[in-house]
Amino acid sequence: MKLWGGRFEKETEALVHSFSSSLSYDRRLAAHDLRVSEAHALALEECGVIDASEREAIVAALGELRAEMERGDFAFADEEDIHTAVERALVERLGEVGAKLRAARSRNDQVAADMRLFVKEESRRVMALLLELMGVILERAREHLGAVMPGFTHLQPAQPVLLSHHLMAYFEMFKRDAMRLGEAAARADLCPLGSGALAGVTFPLDRGMMADELGFGGITANSMDAVSDRDFVADFLYALCVLSVHLSRMAEEMVLWSTPRFGFMELDEAYATGSSIMPQKANPDLAELVRGKAGRMLGHLVSLLVMLKGLPLSYNRDLQEDKEGLFDAVDQAAAMLRVMTGALATATFDVVRMAEAAGEGFTNATDLADYLVRKGLPFLEAHAAAGRLVRACMEAGKRLEELSLEDFRAVEPRVDEDVYEHITVSACLNARDLPGGTAPARVEEALAEAEAWLESRRPRP
Ligand code: ARG
């Protein structure tokens, strides 16, 4: 059926109708679309296009539609999109009164408003899940305060660190994600209603009132931009993308740490999966899927940006392609957060294995060089001397701390008996005693700060 009145003599080809219909997915915007229509009805009443009783009838009918949709018994027909489905149902119920609601608006400003409401709401949902994961990170970090592990660069043993310091590196990443989510929500927080198809409308709608009704912080400034702007979707997708990149990095460490070759972590059985052929396997599939999905998230961001880049002002139907990627991205992000939160909360850390590994691979070589600096050597010479001592250890199959004083002095005569107390794992940790460092006292400070930050962000009851 043609909804757009008298201009056409032909019905739309079925193929074209199904090709262009978005109802199968934009029905997800139904609740937002109904709210937008209520605000519009109020504005129409204020400027005399409908009277109070008509507005009341419209709002009551919109309420019925909402209830039916929530119960799942609203009868969608084969409409082009959610906006036409709602309008069709209103006209069915209210006749002429229902048909009045289309005055002074367009699906172009309507869908922009729906999308902005959606982004605002979903960013809150993702934020709540993110804060939960951050809470679990802090719990595990506090529980394991004191546990040591090797820190890596290039995935080669580098210097000892606290497990809590390592875990809290993720807290910092997620803290930035929380800020990005908040910024994306703020970018979406302007109401485009009143922009009409592109140029504004000829009735004096109270745009500020509609924005207030819908909980927006303000109104958009330019009608042509407002109907074609999806930057707020790009901002949100970018925030979700970076978040999923962080989740993916964490997932990669779960994969590494849970392989027996590392043996740092064991996933709870409820979070590991078996093999159809190898009876011994307990695989970290969930972490691998998180890692895999990060690519899909980036795909959604790239699709949106590429879709936007060639659009002339103002609205173009290409913009309808903004939805499925967004919906999928937000669902995937929520699922990834949930599963990582559960996996991290239930995983077991093998702190004995980690502590052993912390001292393997000459992770105290930097501290030996720093010791020599304190004895007066320029760092370049200290580095070279420590390197020669590492070499000697490799040949003798020893650790640095297993060398005799004579062995040390053969390479560098300024070494004293006190060298041994400077190259233990705990000396290495304690020495990094500056803000941001891994010294236990600093990590405890950072943990307390992180806990306070999280507490301040938790939604109040
Ligand atoms: N389904 C459309 C979208 O999502 C709604 C706006 C359609 N506007 C139009 N003039 N065809 O973008």
Side-chain angles (χ1 to χ4, degrees):
M1 197 216 10
K2 277 238 154 35
L3 267 159
W4 318 126
R7 183 238 179 272
F8 291 94
E9 289 180 346
K10 271 192 180 172
E11 288 299 318
T12 310
E13 181 66 38
L15 182 65
V16 174
H17 176 75
S18 67
F19 182 68
S20 56
S21 171
S22 52
L23 185 62
S24 64
Y25 48 88
D26 71 8
R27 64 178 68 185
R28 186 160 175 181
L29 298 172
H32 307 103
D33 204 63
L34 294 169
R35 286 179 59 202
V36 164
S37 287
E38 277 168 16
H40 183 62
L42 277 178
L44 282 185
E45 180 195 349
E46 266 189 16
C47 57
V49 177
I50 57 176
D51 63 28
S53 68
E54 290 172 328
R55 194 257 305 152
E56 276 161 28
I58 289 172
V59 170
L62 291 169
E64 280 171 29
L65 300 184
R66 173 174 297 114
E68 284 173 24
M69 286 179 183
E70 277 168 8
R71 287 198 305 268
D73 55 15
F74 176 83
F76 282 104
D78 191 18
E79 285 97 3
E80 190 177 301
D81 55 29
I82 183 64
H83 327 292
T84 42
V86 168
E87 183 177 88
R88 189 258 311 148
L90 270 188
V91 173
E92 263 171 28
R93 275 155 223 235
L94 304 175
E96 207 170 66
V97 173
K100 289 188 174 186
L101 193 65
R102 203 196 289 168
R105 73 166 169 180
S106 155
R107 288 180 297 160
N108 300 354
D109 58 357
Q110 208 175 328
V111 74
D114 293 1
M115 289 289 283
R116 284 171 176 272
L117 289 174
F118 179 86
V119 165
K120 283 178 62 179
E121 188 173 298
E122 293 298 312
S123 66
R124 278 195 294 273
R125 178 164 77 102
V126 175
M127 181 80 86
L129 293 169
L130 175 60
L131 294 179
E132 260 176 59
L133 171 61
M134 293 171 82
V136 168
I137 291 175
L138 294 187
E139 274 165 36
R140 307 290 345 234
R142 182 158 288 287
E143 177 189 343
H144 289 96
L145 257 180
V148 299
M149 61 172 289
F152 298 89
T153 62
H154 315 272
L155 207 54
Q156 305 288 327
Q159 292 168 355
V161 293
L162 285 189
L163 169 59
S164 307
H165 196 53
H166 188 118
L167 290 173
M168 281 163 59
Y170 285 100
F171 186 89
E172 290 302 315
M173 294 181 221
F174 293 134
K175 196 169 148 186
R176 293 193 293 273
D177 291 321
M179 290 174 191
R180 265 185 288 271
L181 283 175
E183 285 154 15
R187 223 67 62 86
D189 195 25
L190 296 175
C191 184
L193 294 182
S195 300
L198 75 160
V201 296
T202 63
F203 296 90
L205 300 179
D206 184 345
R207 297 195 59 206
M209 181 279 285
M210 289 191 287
D212 285 349
E213 279 296 313
L214 293 169
F216 282 111
I219 60 173
T220 53
N222 179 299
S223 61
M224 297 183 76
D225 176 46
V227 294
S228 64
D229 170 29
R230 295 294 182 274
D231 294 1
F232 61 95
V233 179
D235 288 337
F236 186 46
L237 284 178
Y238 176 68
L240 294 178
C241 260
V242 182
L243 166 60
S244 61
V245 165
H246 294 153
L247 290 169
S248 175
R249 292 183 68 183
M250 191 180 215
E252 167 63 9
E253 296 207 321
M254 277 187 180
V255 172
L256 281 174
W257 290 15
S258 63
T259 176
R261 293 280 164 172
F262 262 79
F264 287 1
M265 168 195 263
E266 213 178 310
L267 287 175
D268 188 83
E269 283 192 5
Y271 283 84
T273 28
S275 155
S276 56
I277 177 168
M278 295 167 283
Q280 84 282 14
K281 297 279 266 176
N283 290 330
D285 290 35
L286 83 92
E288 295 164 72
L289 278 166
V290 166
R291 200 173 56 188
K293 283 174 191 292
R296 165 174 175 180
M297 301 290 281
L298 177 60
H300 292 321
L301 174 62
V302 171
S303 296
L304 181 84
L305 291 173
V306 175
M307 181 273 279
L308 290 173
K309 82 181 221 346
L311 297 188
L313 283 172
S314 56
Y315 179 85
N316 300 273
R317 191 64 177 271
D318 316 44
L319 288 165
Q320 180 168 293
E321 292 292 315
D322 61 355
K323 290 177 193 62
E324 285 167 292
L326 170 65
F327 296 165
D328 183 61
V330 77
D331 290 341
Q332 295 303 324
M336 288 156 85
L337 281 166
R338 281 211 183 87
V339 80
M340 289 297 278
T341 302
L344 183 65
T346 54
T348 315
F349 295 98
D350 187 339
V351 293
V352 174
R353 172 74 201 111
M354 282 183 166
E356 279 164 19
E360 289 166 3
F362 308 104
T363 53
N364 50 0
T366 314
D367 293 72
L368 176 58
D370 287 352
Y371 167 84
L372 296 175
V373 166
R374 293 195 173 88
K375 294 287 175 188
L377 272 73
F379 185 79
L380 292 192
E381 280 172 36
H383 183 284
R388 282 195 295 277
L389 287 162
V390 166
R391 182 83 231 168
C393 284
M394 286 163 64
E395 276 155 17
K398 286 182 172 173
R399 295 175 174 227
L400 286 168
E401 59 274 26
E402 288 166 355
L403 294 175
S404 67
L405 194 52
E406 291 65 47
D407 295 335
F408 276 115
R409 286 186 167 158
V411 171
E412 174 45 59
R414 273 173 276 189
V415 175
D416 282 325
E417 192 59 52
D418 64 349
V419 69
Y420 296 103
E421 73 206 43
H422 283 92
I423 57 174
T424 63
V425 166
S426 63
C428 295
L429 289 166
N430 289 328
R432 287 167 173 78
D433 185 16
L434 74 178
T438 194
R442 297 297 181 160
V443 173
E444 229 178 303
E445 249 169 53
L447 188 53
E449 240 173 72
E451 284 164 345
W453 183 91
L454 190 61
E455 201 42 52
S456 75
R457 295 301 301 259
R458 283 240 163 86
R460 289 172 214 302

